[in-house]
Amino acid sequence: MSTVFPRAWCQKNGMARERYDTINNKTPISSKTNQIVGGDAPSLYLARLPKKGATSDTAIDTHLESHLIGPQLLRSHDFYGLVGRRQKAMLGMIAAATGKAIYRGTATDDPVENIIEDEGEGLEAAEKAGRTPVRISPGLRTAWLLPL
């Protein structure tokens, strides 16, 4: 697993760890590709891939799309657009796979300590109500699988 927007790039652009260290910013890649990516901006590492024998830009874009990554969003460094799009797509896939409606709570900028406290209270209430919690990412809080 590696980040789509590398940690070094995110930190350089002033992002909090809670924003970039989520499943929405991770994807499985080979160790060779991970070395090519390094900590550079997406436009830089994507330009290097064809030169390193990783095929054409079109093939790369197709591969990115298969990982629910919008190539244009990535190439234009639109972190929030890409992560938001992936979050919606992944939740849609979870809903389709489970046959359950998913609560799509709003993202928050609350400190992690507050989120954890709220989550604990929410988990207890959900268990009593017979709901199954699924943790997606710190920025998303918890997605609840609700009975249909």
Side-chain angles (χ1 to χ4, degrees), residues 13 25 29 44 51-52 62 66 92 94 107 118 120 127 129 145:
N13 286 280
N25 189 36
I29 62 174
L44 296 176
K51 294 174 186 171
K52 299 284 184 171
T62 300
S66 77
I94 293 168
D118 291 348
E127 288 173 359
L145 299 181

Side-chain angles (χ1 to χ4, degrees), residues 51-130:
K51 294 174 186 171
K52 299 284 184 171
T55 197
S56 68
D57 285 337
T58 303
I60 291 169
D61 287 356
T62 300
H63 191 74
L64 290 170
E65 289 168 356
S66 77
H67 287 252
L68 306 175
I69 298 169
Q72 292 312 98
L73 295 170
L74 186 59
R75 290 178 192 285
S76 66
H77 305 160
D78 185 353
F79 175 86
Y80 295 103
L82 184 137
V83 168
R85 179 179 178 263
R86 277 190 99 204
Q87 176 178 305
K88 288 178 185 174
M90 283 193 252
L91 287 174
M93 289 178 71
I94 293 168
T98 62
K100 305 280 184 181
I102 295 187
Y103 171 70
R104 297 170 189 248
T106 57
T108 180
D109 287 328
D110 288 346
V112 173
E113 296 79 22
N114 292 354
I115 294 171
I116 292 170
E117 185 176 317
D118 291 348
E119 294 281 328
E121 293 169 6
L123 286 171
E124 290 174 18
E127 288 173 359
K128 288 179 184 174

Side-chain angles (χ1 to χ4, degrees), residues 12-32:
K12 181 180 175 182
N13 286 280
M15 290 183 196
R17 182 175 181 194
E18 291 81 21
R19 286 283 179 227
Y20 65 81
D21 194 15
T22 69
I23 191 66
N24 299 319
N25 189 36
K26 296 195 185 296
T27 195
I29 62 174
S30 70
S31 60
K32 180 182 177 185

